[in-house]
């Protein structure tokens, strides 16, 4: 069969040029660019939900995941007419709001999607996110640590959803009622972080400098700032297993899964069976907790 060097596809009435569809982006998983675009289309109802109306940073791997990569904040030229952008602090961000935009980015070998924690033109957070960041490349205790934090949130009356970062860490997402500030969420985060590190000093640290953390898991409550980003739910990651940042149930966390268990090759089946676990938790009020802290 002749190699396809270039082709065009029509998506939602928009024409897209696809270059090098046979290029291997994830060699170990055998995923070519064409397969990747098919997987992005499958993920799109979920991934788009958490990138819509936010400022998007992507990580591009033109030569595949083992090649050189770069962070793209400014929208690349030339911009198709269907791509919307938003200016923020002199950067012209892409706003990822529909499938043609997602596939256009996929064709540019954008492999990771990191949206802002606030909406375009606004300064309040969309949700509360705790980032648990291991200090070691392999951290067998990460799910145990995640479950402990989940229990503490639960004791505060907060339902939360853990998600693999797709790399080594885990984020815990607490859907909140809109109107809380980043500062307020950091103060709750600091309270929970101090509590968990005092209770489990062998497991957690709030030490910012990596060299001073030893083998402990960093409870990052400072990640929550305007202008910061975190890996979107359902974003692929540049890992050999083609892992995808995946929301889990607390029951699954207690079975100690590996982030690589959830990847581009099986995520579609999981989403068909389970749907979007993040949608199962409604936005909650943190007002009572804030009153206790002040």
């Amino acid at each position: 069969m002749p190699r396809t060097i270039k082709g065009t596809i029509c998506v939602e009435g928009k024409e897209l040029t696809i270059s090098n569809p046979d290029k291997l982006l994830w060699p170990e998983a055998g995923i070519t660019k064409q397969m990747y675009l098919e997987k992005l289309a499958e993920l799109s109802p979920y991934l788009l939900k958490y990138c819509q109306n936010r400022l998007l940073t992507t990580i591009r791997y033109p030569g595949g995941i083992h090649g050189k990569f770069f962070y793209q904040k400014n929208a690349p030229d030339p911009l198709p007419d269907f791509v919307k952008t938003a200016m923020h602090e002199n950067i012209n961000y892409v706003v990822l709001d529909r499938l043609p935009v997602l596939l256009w980015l996929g064709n540019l070998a954008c492999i990771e999607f990191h949206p802002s924690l606030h909406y375009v033109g606004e300064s309040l957070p969309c949700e509360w996110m705790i980032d648990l960041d291991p200090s070691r490349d392999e951290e067998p205790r990460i799910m145990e640590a995640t479950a402990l934090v989940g229990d503490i949130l639960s004791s505060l009356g907060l339902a939360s959803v853990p998600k693999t970062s797709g790399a080594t860490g885990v984020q815990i997402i607490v859907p909140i009622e809109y109107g809380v500030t980043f500062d307020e969420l950091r103060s709750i985060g600091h309270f929970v972080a101090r509590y968990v590190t005092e209770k489990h000093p062998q497991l957690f640290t709030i030490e910012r400098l990596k060299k001073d953390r030893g083998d402990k898991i960093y409870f990052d409550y400072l990640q929550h700032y305007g202008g910061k980003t975190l890996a979107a739910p359902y974003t692929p990651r540049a890992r050999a297993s083609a892992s995808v940042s995946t929301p889990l149930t607390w029951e699954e966390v207690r079975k100690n899964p590996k982030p690589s268990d959830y990847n581009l090759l099986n995520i579609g089946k999981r989403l068909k069976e389970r749907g979007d676990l993040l949608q199962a938790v409604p936005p909650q009020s943190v007002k009572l907790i804030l009153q206790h802290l002040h």
Side-chain angles (χ1 to χ4, degrees):
M1 203 174 117
R3 278 172 62 82
T4 325
I5 304 302
K6 217 170 189 179
T8 55
I9 55 171
C10 196
V11 184
E12 294 179 3
K14 306 296 177 189
E15 199 166 276
L16 292 169
T17 301
I18 306 303
S19 55
N20 301 317
D22 299 331
K23 175 149 204 70
L24 270 177
L25 294 180
W26 284 268
E28 290 88 345
I31 296 174
T32 62
K33 190 193 277 186
Q34 182 170 339
M35 285 170 70
Y36 175 47
L37 295 179
E38 286 162 8
K39 297 295 178 189
L40 279 182
E42 191 175 43
L43 278 170
S44 65
Y46 307 92
L47 179 58
L48 289 176
K49 205 182 293 175
Y50 301 103
C51 293
Q52 249 163 357
N53 196 25
R54 304 196 193 198
L55 309 164
L56 183 73
T57 299
T58 59
I59 311 180
R60 286 175 63 179
Y61 290 79
I65 64 160
H66 299 302
K68 287 193 174 127
F69 65 90
F70 59 96
Y71 285 77
Q72 179 114 42
K73 285 182 181 282
N74 266 304
D77 281 332
L79 265 190
D81 59 1
F82 55 80
V83 177
K84 281 201 312 215
T85 61
M87 286 297 288
H88 179 73
E89 293 177 354
N90 295 324
I91 295 172
N92 191 31
Y93 288 92
V94 168
V95 179
L96 175 51
D97 57 354
R98 48 196 298 215
L99 181 56
V101 182
L102 180 60
L103 297 183
W104 169 72
L105 290 167
N107 180 59
L108 295 175
C110 296
I111 281 176
E112 301 195 5
F113 300 87
H114 297 249
S116 60
L117 303 173
H118 56 85
Y119 296 122
V120 172
E122 299 190 24
S123 59
L124 295 178
C126 317
E127 65 273 296
W128 178 30
M129 223 181 287
I130 293 166
D131 194 22
L132 300 179
D133 189 11
S135 303
R136 311 188 276 188
D137 288 343
E138 288 291 319
E139 179 48 270
R141 305 169 299 171
I142 187 66
M143 291 299 166
E144 176 198 346
T146 303
L148 289 169
V149 176
D151 288 344
I152 291 165
L153 292 172
S154 190
S155 73
L156 291 170
L158 292 172
S160 57
V161 182
K163 82 171 177 74
T164 65
S165 70
T168 54
V170 170
Q171 280 104 36
I172 300 174
I173 298 175
V174 183
I176 50 161
E177 287 175 1
Y178 197 67
V180 186
T181 67
F182 279 110
D183 285 347
E184 287 172 328
L185 287 181
R186 273 198 307 282
S187 69
I188 305 175
H190 186 220
F191 166 72
V192 175
R194 276 193 22 219
Y195 180 80
V196 79
T197 44
E198 281 165 20
K199 216 167 171 214
H200 305 279
Q202 296 313 306
L203 194 54
F204 293 97
T205 179
I206 50 174
E207 177 55 61
R208 287 196 69 185
L209 295 176
K210 205 162 189 176
K211 66 179 178 66
D212 297 332
R213 291 181 201 163
D215 66 353
K216 295 176 186 176
I217 293 167
Y218 178 45
F219 187 119
D220 187 356
Y221 63 93
L222 292 164
Q223 188 64 21
H224 231 70
Y225 258 101
K228 289 259 192 190
T229 63
L230 275 172
Y234 309 109
T235 178
R237 300 302 298 260
R239 296 272 162 164
S241 62
S243 52
V244 170
S245 179
T246 305
L248 307 175
T249 65
W250 285 108
E251 191 184 16
E252 285 176 314
V253 166
R254 288 179 172 84
K255 290 179 182 161
N256 198 26
K258 292 202 267 312
S260 56
D261 292 346
Y262 311 98
N263 54 61
L264 279 174
L265 298 175
N266 63 22
I267 189 73
K269 182 172 182 284
R270 176 182 174 82
L271 289 169
K272 275 194 191 83
E273 289 167 3
R274 299 224 167 212
D276 181 9
L277 295 175
L278 278 168
Q279 291 302 296
V281 178
Q284 307 154 88
S285 171
V286 291
K287 279 190 184 139
L288 271 177
I289 301 168
L290 285 168
Q291 279 168 15
H292 283 300
L293 291 179
H294 291 311

